[in-house]
Amino acid sequence: MSETRDAQDTHARHEYAELTGLMGLMTGDEKHGPAATSTLDVLWVLYDRVLRVGPDRMTDAGRDRFLLSKGHGPMAYYAVLAAKGFLPVDWLPGFGAYDSPLGHHPDRVLVPGAEIGSGSLGHGLPIAVGTALGLRAQGLDGPAVWVLTGDAELDEGSNHEAIAFAGPAGLERLHTVVVDNSSASHARPGGIAARFEAAGWSTATVDGRDHEALYTAFTVPHPGRPHAVVARVEPKSD
């Protein structure tokens, strides 16, 4: 069993090491490089170790749902989807071209595995709340709902309404990951996690480049409450 686990870990590290090469295949203007690289480790840990999704489960009602709200600069997202077999690697060099399915913001109709179209800041968390409510109404208690936002996105009022609703509603299957690269315009007393805690969420704040810390934060039990993970990365450079 130990040898099997070691082999799995080695394979995972090899796959992760290939991600920068996959991202390097995507060229062109308006790449939003810092926005992409800030999410790379969060996306990798989620897709490699946490999310119950796969190319063969895209229409499975029991799958987990991952919603990319931080949709500008989606190169890391596309690289992870390609590494996990959702889309062909040979799509990547065409990123952003007029005839490519891989636009500067993901389109759920064109990108295999994408649950929502990304673009407008502040829309992902409200959609995730609605998704969690819809699954609960259908009696589907297994699927987890995950949404990735940026710290600057939390300046949008729609997110504050979603946060305020989800806690008292006890949306236990709802998870938010906030990638904090210090790009928000408005400071929050007590930090980002305090906003979620005030609304009754479970929270964790971790190094957004530490895979083990991310995994631990993603999988901590939080009965009866939604869960938010603040993943701190280096400040945005441009």
Side-chain angles (χ1 to χ4, degrees):
M1 180 67 70
S2 177
E3 291 180 359
T4 299
R5 181 59 191 171
D6 288 345
Q8 292 173 339
D9 289 343
T10 299
H11 179 67
R13 286 194 296 271
H14 179 68
E15 280 190 296
Y16 174 76
E18 291 181 337
L19 293 179
T20 53
L22 293 176
M23 290 177 66
L25 296 175
M26 291 174 271
T27 59
D29 297 330
E30 298 185 14
K31 291 183 3 177
H32 292 286
T37 56
S38 69
T39 66
L40 181 62
D41 297 275
V42 164
L43 287 166
W44 176 252
V45 174
L46 283 173
Y47 273 89
D48 189 56
R49 302 174 63 180
V50 178
L51 295 173
R52 297 175 302 166
V53 296
D56 58 340
R57 297 192 65 181
M58 288 189 286
T59 60
D60 180 359
R63 73 189 183 282
D64 289 343
R65 273 68 166 178
F66 173 77
L67 283 60
L68 181 68
S69 188
K70 185 181 169 70
H72 57 289
M75 293 186 297
Y77 183 50
Y78 294 154
V80 170
L81 289 179
K84 291 300 180 181
F86 286 87
L87 55 88
V89 171
D90 60 12
W91 282 12
L92 300 180
F95 165 66
Y98 77 95
D99 58 349
S100 172
L102 305 182
H104 292 295
H105 296 87
D107 184 330
R108 71 178 184 87
V109 176
L110 301 176
V111 180
E115 295 281 356
I116 61 172
S118 301
S120 300
L121 295 178
H123 73 305
L125 184 50
I127 293 175
V129 168
T131 301
L133 283 170
L135 291 169
R136 186 164 73 178
Q138 296 175 72
L140 295 172
D141 299 323
V145 179
W146 290 81
V147 57
L148 190 157
T149 75
D151 61 316
E153 258 192 283
L154 296 186
D155 290 342
E156 303 293 334
S158 54
N159 280 319
H160 291 278
E161 293 180 8
I163 292 167
F165 176 86
L171 295 180
E172 181 177 337
R173 303 305 289 158
L174 175 63
H175 308 76
T176 298
V177 184
V178 182
V179 174
D180 179 10
N181 64 355
S182 302
S183 60
S185 300
H186 306 293
R188 294 171 183 79
I192 293 173
R195 174 66 187 90
F196 288 87
E197 290 168 0
W201 289 58
S202 165
T203 68
T205 299
V206 297
D207 180 348
R209 300 303 187 192
D210 185 328
H211 291 194
E212 290 306 317
L214 286 168
Y215 177 73
T216 298
F218 291 162
T219 56
V220 67
H222 49 94
R225 297 193 290 168
H227 185 52
V229 176
V230 180
R232 290 177 171 167
V233 298
E234 58 281 357
K236 184 178 178 181
S237 60
D238 59 16

